[in-house]
């Protein structure tokens, strides 16, 4: 199919903004994205659809377009629903990079364009799917006439006599035609699918449960397709949905298998729409957590929470209680970033497994940094009735969070991955969030010390100073650490003396001069000089237990 054919189809609402001389390019697929760098999901020949959420200022357009052009995409279609007219800087960038640019009328859903491209590209290989889609022009739209993936599954049942369900990687049912599957069956299907993907077995994967055969097809979001074999499967295995069909696909002809692959592409539109909707909540979580971690005044954090609360708790106002959940995914070798995987997992794990549909996670905000993901959870989001304040009585419990999802996650982590999770106590104000974050991190470290691929710990399992430190008021914390550590930090900045690392090592070695000098690769006399300088700058004596304890606490609170 040529780009020109899309422009000539009035129902698609496309308006050419540049690249008329390139309209004979061949379109081989379609991808919806708002990532600033979607290169890992591009194989060439795609029509890229974007809502422009990646664009924060005019300088963002050139790098984004250059990435698309380098990947060999056929063209770019930008929606007008978010910003109105397409920015001039994007138009200019496309002209410079010879990339055809279309504007998508705000009344046309991206799903409509995706549906059309999938039908045209699939051609006769999926003729029965095209016939179904032709009878349902409003398939996958977000308005009241749509219905998300449930519509597609209903069509499979009514037109093709196939019962099917969409499941999350944890086994939660997101959509289904007819009676829902039992939770145990969902968990088993998800486990089998994840295990098969991790071992590299070619799909569709089949298994029998209670005399019924199911065939499992992956649903890859962000335009991911089978052509991206070079991408490490661990980056997506714990976030991709799957389609479970009550049928044995082992004896299906190629045309029927192509049909189901086309269905998974249509459902992937809903997956991408959900991920795009999470962008705002993720950004809110990131902003709040940055304030918390940088020691911002509680009043500033509270003000940001008041902005976040209406998004996370529509109709309720501010949340009376909050909890923090920290998760980390580690892969053997450390070459795969675990933060995005942990973020997707938390967004799924924090949904009640008995709740179906893609929307229950819309009230959970999760940010990630490095290999760690942090969730800011307003308790009423999990209380059933958003207008009912159950406070700490509705608090999350670490073991309960993983009970229903441990089996599928263990299969996806296989023998080279690990998930550890920590849950804080409930706090009722912005002032308590920093303590809750530290508490959740301490709890996660407790979980990490345990055996097993999937482990969790809660605040009630902490002891000693680990339990006390998170609840030291921020002003007391800042004053205490500044009095003890600021003189050392200032000296280190001026002289590069490494007094702070020396102090940490000295305390870790229980004041042993020999062990500490060995650890730091120093002569004992050099170590004695540094410790003497620490004592001189702080007017403390590191041979006294009280002063050692003060330094220990200051380092833990800094």
């Amino acid at each position: 199919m040529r780009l020109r054919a899309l422009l000539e189809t009035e129902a698609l609402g496309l308006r050419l903004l540049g690249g008329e001389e390139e309209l004979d390019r061949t379109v081989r697929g379609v991808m919806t994205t708002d990532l600033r760098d979607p290169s890992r999901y591009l194989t060439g020949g795609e029509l890229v659809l974007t809502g422009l959420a990646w664009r924060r200022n005019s300088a963002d357009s050139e790098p984004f377009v250059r990435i698309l052009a380098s990947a060999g995409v056929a063209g770019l279609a930008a929606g007008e629903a978010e910003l109105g007219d397409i920015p001039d800087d994007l138009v200019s960038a496309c002209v410079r990079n010879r990339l055809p640019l279309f504007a998508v009328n705000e009344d046309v859903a991206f799903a409509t364009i995706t549906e059309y491209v999938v039908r045209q590209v699939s051609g006769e290989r999926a003729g029965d799917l095209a016939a179904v889609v032709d009878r349902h022009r409003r398939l996958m739209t977000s308005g009241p006439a749509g219905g998300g993936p449930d519509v597609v599954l209903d069509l499979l049942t009514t037109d093709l006599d196939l019962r099917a369900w969409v499941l999350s990687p944890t086994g939660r049912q997101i959509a289904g035609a007819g009676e829902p599957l039992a939770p145990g069956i969902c968990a088993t299907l998800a486990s089998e699918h994840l295990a098969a993907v991790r071992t590299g077995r070619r799909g569709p994967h089949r298994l029998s449960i209670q005399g019924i055969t199911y065939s499992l097809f992956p649903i890859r979001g962000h335009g991911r397709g089978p052509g991206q074999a070079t991408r490490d499967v661990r980056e997506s295995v714990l976030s991709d949905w799957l389609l479970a069909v009550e049928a044995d696909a082992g004896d299906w002809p190629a045309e029927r298998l192509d049909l189901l692959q086309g269905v998974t592409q249509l459902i992937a539109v809903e997956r991408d729409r959900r991920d795009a909707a999470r962008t705002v909540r993720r950004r809110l979580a990131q902003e709040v957590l940055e304030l918390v971690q940088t020691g911002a005044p509680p009043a500033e954090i509270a003000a940001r929470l008041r902005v976040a609360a209406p998004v996370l708790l529509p109709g309720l106002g501010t949340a009376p209680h909050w909890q923090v959940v920290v998760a980390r995914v580690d892969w053997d070798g450390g070459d795969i970033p675990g933060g995005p995987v942990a973020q997707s997992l938390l967004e799924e794990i924090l949904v009640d497994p008995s709740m179906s549909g893609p929307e229950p996670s819309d009230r959970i905000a999760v940010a990630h940094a490095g290999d760690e993901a942090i969730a800011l959870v307003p308790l009423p989001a999990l209380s059933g009735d958003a207008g009912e304040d159950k406070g700490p009585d509705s608090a999350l419990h670490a073991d309960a969070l993983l009970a229903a999802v441990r089996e599928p996650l263990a299969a996806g982590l296989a023998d080279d991955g690990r998930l550890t999770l920590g849950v804080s106590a409930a706090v009722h104000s912005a002032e308590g969030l920093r303590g809750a974050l530290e508490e959740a991190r301490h709890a996660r470290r407790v979980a990490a010390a345990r055996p097993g691929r999937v482990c969790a710990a809660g605040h009630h399992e902490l002891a000693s100073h680990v339990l006390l430190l998170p609840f030291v008021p921020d002003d007391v914390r800042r004053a205490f650490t500044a009095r003890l550590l600021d003189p050392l930090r200032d000296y280190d900045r001026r002289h590069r003396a490494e007094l702070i690392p020396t102090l940490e090592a000295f305390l870790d070695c229980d004041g042993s001069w020999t062990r500490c000098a060995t650890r730091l690769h120093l002569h004992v006399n050099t170590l004695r000089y540094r410790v003497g300088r620490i004592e001189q700058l702080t007017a403390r004596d590191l041979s006294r237990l009280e002063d050692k304890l003060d330094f220990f606490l200051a380092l833990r609170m800094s």
Side-chain angles (χ1 to χ4, degrees):
M1 183 181 67
R2 308 286 181 180
L3 277 177
R4 192 180 305 280
L6 295 175
L7 190 62
E8 294 170 351
T9 305
E10 294 183 2
L12 299 184
L14 296 177
R15 189 173 77 258
L16 184 65
L17 300 181
E20 184 174 2
E21 67 281 2
E22 305 289 339
L23 289 180
D24 286 328
R25 292 187 180 187
T26 299
V27 179
R28 298 187 178 89
V30 62
M31 174 192 178
T32 301
T33 186
D34 274 310
L35 295 174
R36 303 185 77 177
D37 181 5
S39 57
R40 67 174 63 184
Y41 308 123
L42 297 170
T43 57
E46 297 94 344
L47 173 67
V48 175
L49 307 175
T50 181
L52 300 178
W54 50 266
R55 183 186 178 277
R56 297 181 182 177
N57 55 59
S58 58
D60 292 336
S61 292
E62 179 67 28
F64 180 78
V65 172
R66 193 178 298 128
I67 287 169
L68 300 188
S70 299
V73 305
L76 174 64
E80 297 179 319
E82 184 72 19
L83 300 178
D85 292 337
I86 306 304
D88 291 339
D89 49 89
L90 180 59
V91 177
S92 300
C94 288
V95 170
R96 284 192 296 272
N97 290 276
R98 299 180 62 84
L99 181 66
L101 175 64
F102 303 89
V104 182
N105 189 284
E106 61 180 355
D107 295 326
V108 178
F110 282 178
T112 301
I113 301 173
T114 300
E115 166 204 326
Y116 182 87
V117 173
V118 169
R119 277 196 298 117
Q120 297 301 316
V121 172
S122 298
E124 294 182 358
R125 292 182 306 138
D128 47 355
L129 176 62
V132 170
V133 174
D134 277 339
R135 293 195 294 275
H136 297 269
R137 294 287 302 166
R138 292 174 294 186
L139 184 66
M140 300 297 294
T141 60
S142 57
D150 288 293
V151 172
V152 183
L153 303 186
D154 285 340
L155 296 177
L156 286 178
T157 300
T158 58
D159 291 78
L160 304 173
D161 197 26
L162 290 173
R163 296 182 65 208
W165 301 265
V166 176
L167 305 179
S168 78
T170 63
R172 185 174 64 87
Q173 182 172 313
I174 293 168
E179 289 295 319
L181 290 173
I185 293 178
C186 289
T188 301
L189 293 174
S191 297
E192 171 63 22
H193 173 74
L194 293 175
V197 171
R198 288 307 314 275
T199 55
R201 290 174 7 223
R202 296 187 61 182
H205 315 299
R206 294 170 290 148
L207 76 159
S208 294
I209 304 176
Q210 300 175 3
I212 299 175
T213 299
Y214 298 89
S215 298
L216 310 177
F217 297 81
I219 298 172
R220 297 181 174 91
H222 298 305
R224 287 171 283 196
Q228 289 182 291
T230 59
R231 187 174 181 230
D232 196 303
V233 69
R234 292 174 293 179
E235 295 183 57
S236 61
V237 65
L238 294 175
S239 59
D240 282 341
W241 290 354
L242 66 132
L243 176 68
V245 180
E246 189 181 294
D248 187 346
D251 55 359
W252 281 4
E255 292 78 6
R256 180 54 62 93
L257 290 173
D258 284 343
L259 159 66
L260 265 294
Q261 294 295 345
V263 169
T264 63
Q265 291 182 41
L266 292 176
I267 298 175
V269 174
E270 171 64 20
R271 170 64 194 273
D272 291 341
R273 185 202 65 78
R274 186 202 63 164
D275 283 348
R278 284 178 169 176
T279 302
V280 173
R281 295 187 298 280
R282 288 174 171 177
R283 190 173 300 164
L284 286 172
Q286 192 71 49
E287 292 173 356
V288 171
L289 290 168
E290 284 178 0
L291 291 175
V292 171
Q293 295 184 97
T294 55
E300 186 177 351
I301 299 173
R304 197 73 194 108
L305 281 176
R306 284 193 292 271
V307 174
V311 177
L312 300 177
L313 296 169
L316 182 64
T318 57
H321 297 91
W322 299 86
Q323 272 184 287
V324 175
V325 181
V326 173
R328 182 182 173 99
V329 171
D330 294 287
W331 301 105
D332 291 353
D335 55 333
I336 303 298
V341 179
Q343 183 179 47
S344 295
L345 277 181
L346 267 190
E347 287 171 334
E348 178 62 34
I349 290 170
L350 292 173
V351 179
D352 185 335
S354 66
M355 300 177 71
S356 63
E359 304 305 328
S361 61
D362 283 356
R363 294 177 181 177
I364 296 165
V366 185
H368 80 80
D371 290 328
E372 182 182 73
I374 305 168
L376 187 65
V377 184
L379 295 186
L382 300 179
S383 300
D385 181 357
E388 180 182 358
D389 173 18
K390 294 184 179 181
D393 291 338
S394 61
L396 302 171
H397 296 280
D399 289 338
L401 283 177
L402 294 182
V405 300
R406 184 172 269 107
E407 178 188 351
L409 291 183
L413 292 164
D415 57 358
D416 60 350
R418 193 155 192 257
L419 168 68
T420 51
L421 183 146
V423 182
S424 77
V427 295
H428 66 278
S429 68
E431 189 170 11
L433 277 180
R434 176 164 178 166
L437 175 57
E438 288 190 17
E439 192 175 56
R441 281 176 166 158
H442 284 307
R444 193 206 62 78
R445 293 188 190 103
V446 170
R450 296 171 175 167
R453 290 290 169 187
V454 182
C455 298
H459 61 93
H460 60 283
E461 299 178 67
L462 305 180
S464 158
H465 70 281
V466 174
L467 180 61
L468 297 177
L469 287 184
F471 298 99
V472 176
D474 283 348
D475 55 345
V476 175
R477 180 194 304 267
R478 285 191 290 267
F480 182 74
T481 58
R483 185 167 62 249
L484 279 173
L485 301 182
D486 279 3
L488 306 182
R489 290 173 177 144
D490 291 341
Y491 192 87
D492 280 349
R493 276 195 295 270
R494 293 196 307 270
H495 303 285
R496 298 182 179 178
E498 298 188 355
L499 296 185
I500 291 289
T502 300
L503 176 61
E504 291 176 329
F506 187 72
L507 295 175
D508 283 345
C509 293
D510 297 323
S512 169
W513 297 99
T514 303
R515 282 194 289 127
C516 184
T518 301
R519 176 184 292 191
L520 295 176
H521 305 290
L522 297 175
H523 191 278
V524 171
N525 289 340
T526 303
L527 175 61
R528 290 186 184 276
Y529 172 80
R530 288 188 184 180
V531 170
R533 179 65 68 184
I534 291 170
E535 293 175 332
Q536 180 185 16
L537 291 170
T538 60
R540 296 295 184 112
D541 183 354
L542 277 168
S543 66
R544 297 178 67 247
L545 176 62
E546 294 87 347
D547 288 341
K548 286 181 182 177
L549 180 59
D550 282 349
F551 278 121
F552 173 80
L553 294 174
L555 289 169
R556 289 296 183 272
M557 289 190 291
S558 63

